[in-house]
Amino acid sequence: MLPDLVGQLWPQRLAFTALALFLLVVIRLTPSAFRSPWLPELAISLVIVLMCSGIIIPSTSRSVTLTAAVHSADLIAATMFVGTLVRLRFWYSLGVSLVNLLAFATLIPHRSIEHGLILSSNFKVLLVAGLLVQVSSYLFEYRDRQRWLLAKQNDAHASELKEANRRLRDMSLRDGLTGLLNRRGFEEALSAAQQDTATQSSVLSLLVLDVDHFKRFNDFYGHPQGDRCLQQVSAILEAVARDHGGQAARIGGEEFAVVLPSSSTQQAQALASAIKTALDAAAIEHQASEVARHVTVSIGMAQGPASITGARLVAAADAALYEAKRSGRNRAVVGEVLGEASGLKMEVRQAFGPKSPGDVPYSAEDDSAALSAILANGVRWLRFPAHVEKHYQSIRSGHHQWRLPACILLSVLGFNVFAFLYEQGAPNATAWMQKNLTALNTAGLVLSLLLMARGWGRWKEALVAGAFSALALLGAYALSLDHSLVAYPTFMVLILIPMASCILAQQSPFHVLPSWAAVVIGYLGFTSAETGSIEVIVRNDIARILIVGGMFILLASYTLARAERRSYLLNGIQRGQRAALVERQKDLESLVSLDPLTGLHNRRHFDQALQALWNTAERGGTAVSLLILDIDFFKRYNDSLGHQAGDAALQKVAMALRQMAAGSEGCLAARLGGEEFALLVGGGEEAALKLGEAVCTQVHQCAIDHPDSDAASILTVSVGVATMMPSTLLKPYDLMSMADRSLYQAKAAGRNGMAVASSAK
């Protein structure tokens, strides 16, 4: 290509090559502490500029042959190399392209008319190719940055959700009134203690405690004072249990438990003694007690190996607790030391919803795991499994709804521009194009309209690939109509067709390949040159540039398609993770607000709902009604039939209350503690009274046998009803106190009935 400079170019090429290698070595050996993030890319940019502007352009400017002017088209391949293989960031790639364009335009002289036409044709192609490469470079960097930002945003969002879930999980394991572990937390603590005891081959101890005559405490002092008493007892239990290496939990109204892993009988007895001593020192007043003038507890202890089931251990401790009560209360009784039992499964009383936060499903969207597996295996072949591929293509088709028709119109527009700008370099080709522009424009417009219609599916990409291939063949045929040496470089324009397919239409390599193949086949098929002539050299050189440039285009297409598929997978995985975290958060919020035994709202949620309803009613000037229910003689029920039967009875009553709440608009049912429930509803006294009567009737219809009740032969409830008009002088606590007083009026009247109090005007 440069016969007049063959002997002069080797020293120049070696010098620039050595300088480029020197820069790369310096960058590689520079310590990371002194290496700026932008330095490697700057060095690569300088190397490329040196190779292009230091070798290709000087050699072209110094040679007087037309083949040298044709050979300047190598800058097009160099530009593609920068944007596809090296993948410099946008501003560096733009800088390299601008320097090469400026050098090409200013440093290469036009030695003749033919020489100038060839250089002008190459410059136009270089300019358009540079623009397309910059679009490609921008897309590469945009997607990289978008992926990075998306990952950061999702990491931050996931961290926030995980922290919220952690707090919610902790709340779901804690009793809203006392702050101790609730029934759910107790089950987890007992299971963990079993595992800890198993690793040390020791014995597990369980203490079950009951506040003596707490029912009388509530009757004498009222439920608000009873709540404060439970909080004081809980604080003492938690402190003492922590000092002895145990965990305290509230497992019922006035019933508590302490789990003591890897402990001896002496250690369990020491813990029980410490609890009694601490309560005696606290001296919480209890004038209604027959045991002492202050609050006391009865304690039942049981021990067993780690293999013992939770239900057996709880039952043994429960039996010891009732023995302590029968023996006069305010004492601790050590139950039997249980033997081996098969299995480690924790048998628990039936609860509503997930047993514990650990049981909450933590799964992302259905395909999230599959997407993760696909991403781990890579997407080298640009193909997903069938069901994932179908979804990906549907998403991609939506994104390309307008892009593909626009690309067809732009390509036809480019054909029109060529037909009028290349009249000097390819007069026959441009004449043929101008003659057939109407047909070509009509075909392009019809195709674009067809592509805008829905229903093409996967055939839309194939149709566009076919259109680009047809355009390439038509262009190659038109350009072959000119047989001069000057016309050969105009074939370089054809390389812009697969570039448009790759960068503008963003088609996959499978769809870019046909248009590139059409360019090469059309060029080689429609052109010919006599052996030994200069046209052969030029023809082969242009074929080489078309083939190399096409390979770079395919590489860019592959890289873009792979990045797009990876983004699809990452987006799907991240959406799934967010959905899983949100779903888990909802489950945890449900756990936090629900009583694990009955499935009703717990005390924490009730307090929040009462405050919210109070605020709303105060703003709207409406009344708030509260019904507090207490199961009559439930302590006797538990003592007579056992806690298992008591739990079943509580669940039946809760089911009746849930049905009542569901049938009353704006009504909320909650378990306040033990055998005490509440119904909260907005509205006046009349509606509250009807609801209270319906509750009594519903519980009667449950027909739960209660042989030790003085009110009836079946389980009954006493109901206290209070209605209040919220104001700045009153608080929700006042409504609670009023309903509590009504409840005790109902009890004083013989139970199995309802009493009402109202301050609503």
Side-chain angles (χ1 to χ4, degrees):
M1 296 297 293
L2 304 171
D4 54 338
L5 298 177
V6 172
Q8 304 175 32
L9 291 179
W10 282 111
Q12 183 178 347
R13 290 176 177 175
L14 288 175
F16 279 108
T17 302
L19 181 58
L21 291 174
F22 174 75
L23 285 173
L24 293 177
V25 170
V26 169
I27 293 299
R28 184 68 182 86
L29 296 179
T30 301
S32 57
F34 301 99
R35 189 188 305 167
S36 300
W38 49 266
L39 196 57
E41 286 191 274
L42 178 61
I44 294 173
S45 302
L46 291 175
V47 167
I48 294 171
V49 168
L50 287 173
M51 296 294 289
C52 295
S53 300
I55 297 178
I56 298 176
I57 291 178
S59 60
T60 303
S61 63
R62 291 167 58 187
S63 177
V64 297
T65 62
L66 292 178
T67 55
V70 174
H71 190 62
S72 66
D74 275 343
L75 277 177
I76 300 172
T79 301
M80 295 180 183
F81 172 79
V82 170
T84 58
L85 190 62
V86 179
R87 284 187 59 186
L88 291 176
R89 281 187 289 176
F90 174 72
W91 292 109
Y92 291 97
S93 177
L94 180 62
V96 171
S97 295
L98 290 177
V99 170
N100 287 337
L101 280 171
L102 184 63
F104 189 98
T106 58
L107 300 180
I108 302 178
H110 293 196
R111 301 184 182 277
S112 63
I113 295 177
E114 293 82 1
H115 196 271
L117 288 174
I118 294 173
L119 291 177
S120 176
S121 176
N122 286 348
F123 181 80
K124 293 172 185 176
V125 176
L126 180 61
L127 178 62
V128 178
L131 289 173
L132 292 175
V133 167
Q134 297 321 305
V135 172
S136 171
S137 179
Y138 178 83
L139 288 174
F140 283 137
E141 185 171 352
Y142 175 80
R143 287 182 177 172
D144 286 343
R145 290 177 179 272
Q146 186 183 46
R147 227 174 10 249
W148 183 85
L149 285 174
L150 183 62
K152 288 294 182 182
Q153 290 173 351
N154 278 278
D155 287 345
H157 186 59
S159 297
E160 292 174 1
L161 282 175
K162 287 178 180 177
E163 177 60 22
N165 286 339
R166 185 196 64 77
R167 292 195 300 269
L168 285 170
R169 184 183 186 279
D170 186 64
M171 291 173 63
S172 72
L173 300 177
R174 295 284 170 180
D175 178 61
L177 178 64
T178 64
L180 294 182
L181 293 175
N182 59 15
R183 186 59 175 268
R184 196 180 290 117
F186 164 71
E187 293 165 5
E188 285 201 4
L190 186 55
S191 178
Q194 286 178 309
Q195 297 176 12
D196 181 61
T197 301
T199 59
Q200 300 186 30
S201 302
S202 56
V203 177
L204 172 65
S205 299
L206 176 64
L207 284 69
V208 176
L209 305 86
D210 199 277
V211 179
D212 295 328
H213 299 298
F214 187 71
K215 191 70 174 174
R216 298 182 183 179
F217 188 101
N218 267 340
D219 293 344
F220 188 84
Y221 295 100
H223 281 89
Q225 189 63 31
D227 288 347
R228 284 190 286 271
C229 173
L230 290 176
Q231 291 170 339
Q232 290 176 282
V233 172
S234 299
I236 292 171
L237 283 178
E238 185 174 33
V240 175
R242 184 173 57 247
D243 292 342
H244 287 74
Q247 281 187 291
R250 183 190 182 199
I251 59 176
E254 65 272 21
E255 191 178 7
F256 300 87
V258 177
V259 180
L260 193 62
S262 305
S263 56
S264 63
T265 303
Q266 291 76 16
Q267 288 174 317
Q269 289 175 330
L271 173 59
S273 178
I275 292 172
K276 289 178 81 288
T277 301
L279 284 172
D280 290 340
I284 304 169
E285 182 182 312
H286 188 351
Q287 295 184 16
S289 174
E290 296 178 354
V291 179
R293 295 296 90 184
H294 62 272
V295 171
T296 59
V297 294
S298 299
I299 304 174
M301 292 183 290
Q303 291 183 304
S307 59
I308 193 69
T309 61
R312 286 192 63 199
L313 193 61
V314 171
D318 213 33
L321 171 63
Y322 281 104
E323 180 61 31
K325 290 182 177 182
R326 284 191 294 269
S327 301
R329 304 179 188 267
N330 191 22
R331 66 194 63 213
V333 171
V334 179
E336 60 178 321
V337 178
L338 302 172
E340 295 289 335
S342 60
L344 292 174
K345 184 178 178 181
M346 173 66 185
E347 299 176 11
V348 297
R349 304 171 191 175
Q350 181 183 355
F352 288 80
K355 287 163 50 178
S356 69
D359 297 328
V360 176
Y362 188 80
S363 60
E365 295 176 341
D366 293 340
D367 286 340
S368 184
L371 297 182
S372 298
I374 295 171
L375 184 63
N377 293 330
V379 286
R380 297 181 184 87
W381 302 109
L382 303 182
R383 188 74 183 176
F384 296 141
H387 68 288
V388 181
E389 182 71 23
K390 183 178 180 180
H391 182 260
Y392 167 75
Q393 291 297 344
S394 67
I395 296 295
R396 192 170 190 272
S397 177
H399 291 167
H400 289 194
Q401 178 71 23
W402 303 104
R403 178 180 295 159
L404 295 180
C407 289
I408 293 296
L409 292 177
L410 284 175
S411 300
V412 172
L413 177 63
F415 214 84
N416 282 259
V417 171
F418 181 88
F420 292 97
L421 290 184
Y422 277 77
E423 289 179 318
Q424 288 185 322
N428 295 335
T430 54
W432 183 87
M433 290 180 181
Q434 292 172 11
K435 180 180 178 181
N436 295 279
L437 277 182
T438 302
L440 179 65
N441 293 339
T442 302
L445 182 60
V446 171
L447 180 59
S448 298
L449 293 175
L450 287 175
L451 291 173
M452 291 179 188
R454 298 184 180 273
W456 286 94
R458 68 179 62 183
W459 296 106
K460 184 180 291 187
E461 297 273 359
L463 190 61
V464 173
F468 279 126
S469 301
L471 196 62
L473 290 173
L474 286 175
Y477 170 75
L479 293 173
S480 67
L481 298 177
D482 290 284
H483 303 289
S484 65
L485 182 64
V486 175
Y488 269 100
T490 58
F491 279 94
M492 292 299 303
V493 175
L494 298 178
I495 201 65
L496 300 178
I497 296 175
M499 286 188 75
S501 173
C502 165
I503 298 169
L504 298 181
Q506 295 186 23
Q507 292 194 287
S508 69
F510 308 109
H511 295 103
V512 174
L513 179 62
S515 60
W516 173 53
V519 168
V520 176
I521 293 172
Y523 172 72
L524 295 177
F526 291 128
T527 61
S528 60
E530 296 181 5
T531 304
S533 65
I534 191 172
E535 284 84 358
V536 173
I537 300 176
V538 172
R539 181 174 182 267
N540 292 341
D541 195 46
I542 291 175
R544 174 184 60 80
I545 295 174
L546 291 176
I547 292 172
V548 173
M551 293 173 64
F552 285 145
I553 292 170
L554 286 177
L555 177 61
S557 176
Y558 174 82
T559 306
L560 284 170
R562 189 179 182 190
E564 184 179 32
R565 287 177 176 265
R566 285 177 59 85
S567 295
Y568 166 81
L569 293 175
L570 288 170
N571 286 334
I573 293 168
Q574 288 163 352
R575 282 195 305 271
Q577 290 173 343
R578 287 199 303 272
L581 285 170
V582 171
E583 179 183 354
R584 179 173 173 81
Q585 187 172 24
K586 290 179 180 178
D587 289 331
L588 286 172
E589 287 173 352
S590 177
L591 287 174
V592 168
S593 65
L594 294 181
D595 175 64
L597 178 65
T598 64
L600 295 181
H601 291 294
N602 58 18
R603 179 61 180 268
R604 180 188 293 112
H605 184 83
F606 169 79
D607 289 339
Q608 294 172 351
L610 175 57
Q611 185 65 60
L613 181 59
W614 185 272
N615 294 338
T616 302
E618 185 176 359
R619 290 192 299 268
T622 58
V624 176
S625 295
L626 173 64
L627 290 74
I628 296 182
L629 303 81
D630 198 277
I631 299 178
D632 296 326
F633 301 110
F634 190 71
K635 192 70 173 175
R636 296 182 187 178
Y637 190 97
N638 266 340
D639 292 344
S640 174
L641 302 176
H643 280 92
Q644 297 287 339
D647 287 349
L650 289 173
Q651 290 174 342
K652 290 180 181 179
V653 173
M655 181 66 72
L657 294 179
R658 188 183 300 108
Q659 292 173 353
M660 293 300 303
S664 301
E665 184 178 356
C667 183
L668 179 138
R671 184 189 182 197
L672 300 183
E675 65 272 24
E676 191 177 14
F677 300 88
L679 289 172
L680 178 64
V681 63
E685 183 179 298
E686 183 179 352
L689 287 174
K690 290 182 180 179
L691 182 61
E693 292 172 354
V695 167
C696 292
T697 302
Q698 190 76 16
V699 173
H700 272 255
Q701 291 176 353
C702 291
I704 304 169
D705 289 336
H706 189 346
D708 293 317
S709 174
D710 292 342
S713 60
I714 59 174
L715 205 70
T716 59
V717 293
S718 298
V719 182
V721 181
T723 301
M724 186 174 287
M725 186 70 72
S727 69
T728 56
L729 300 177
L730 297 172
K731 300 296 180 186
Y733 174 81
D734 299 317
L735 181 62
M736 286 282 293
S737 298
M738 181 179 293
D740 200 48
R741 289 195 298 271
S742 298
L743 173 62
Y744 283 106
Q745 291 174 11
K747 289 183 177 182
R751 304 180 189 263
N752 189 20
M754 179 176 61
V756 60
S758 174
S759 71
K761 301 293 184 182

